[in-house]
Amino acid sequence: QVQLVESGGGLVQAGGSLRLSCAASGRTFSNYAMAWFRQAPGKEREFVAHISRSGGTTNYADSVKGRFTISRDNAKNSVYLQTSSLKPEDTAVYYCAAKMAVIFGTRAEEYPYWGQGTQVTVSS
């Protein structure tokens, strides 16, 4: 299995940006499709972005499209989420997740491997 560790969260003003990182260890990283999810207090975990195993295909939630960019570096066993134009409603714990299945999915239960999360707080 693969182990995931997120970093890069923090407190930022509205309109600012953060770059989240997720470092993977264990099995061959390039065998896994990767995704970012987030969970705000009192809300369900929601899909943010997905990237295919090669990095050639990406998908985004409508709420972040045009503001967030997911990328990966298979040589560094890492996936990233570049955020920009952050809004207070982006405040949440952000999680990276991994799965071996090729088919793109937005449901959290499709991803068996998760990191511990990193907090992003956007002040107005």
Side-chain angles (χ1 to χ4, degrees), residues 38 40 43 46 67 87-92 94 122:
R38 65 187 182 186
K43 295 188 177 181
E46 65 172 355
R67 299 188 299 121
K87 306 174 182 179
E89 51 263 43
D90 293 318
T91 295
Y94 283 70
V122 185

Side-chain angles (χ1 to χ4, degrees), residues 29-112:
F29 180 65
S30 58
N31 287 343
Y32 294 85
M34 301 297 296
W36 286 94
F37 286 75
R38 65 187 182 186
Q39 188 166 19
K43 295 188 177 181
E44 292 188 354
R45 194 167 297 190
E46 65 172 355
F47 169 78
V48 174
H50 168 273
I51 189 165
S52 63
R53 294 183 295 186
S54 68
T57 302
T58 57
N59 303 89
Y60 297 92
D62 288 342
S63 60
V64 306
K65 202 170 293 183
R67 299 188 299 121
F68 291 9
T69 301
I70 189 171
S71 62
R72 67 189 295 161
D73 185 337
N74 286 345
K76 295 183 177 179
N77 291 349
S78 294
V79 63
Y80 309 99
L81 185 69
Q82 179 67 52
T83 70
S84 63
S85 302
L86 284 164
K87 306 174 182 179
E89 51 263 43
D90 293 318
T91 295
V93 177
Y94 283 70
Y95 299 89
C96 70
K99 65 172 183 174
M100 294 193 74
V102 174
I103 298 174
F104 162 62
T106 62
R107 296 181 299 124
E109 53 265 35
E110 298 179 54
Y111 294 81

Side-chain angles (χ1 to χ4, degrees), residues 11 15 35:
L11 174 64

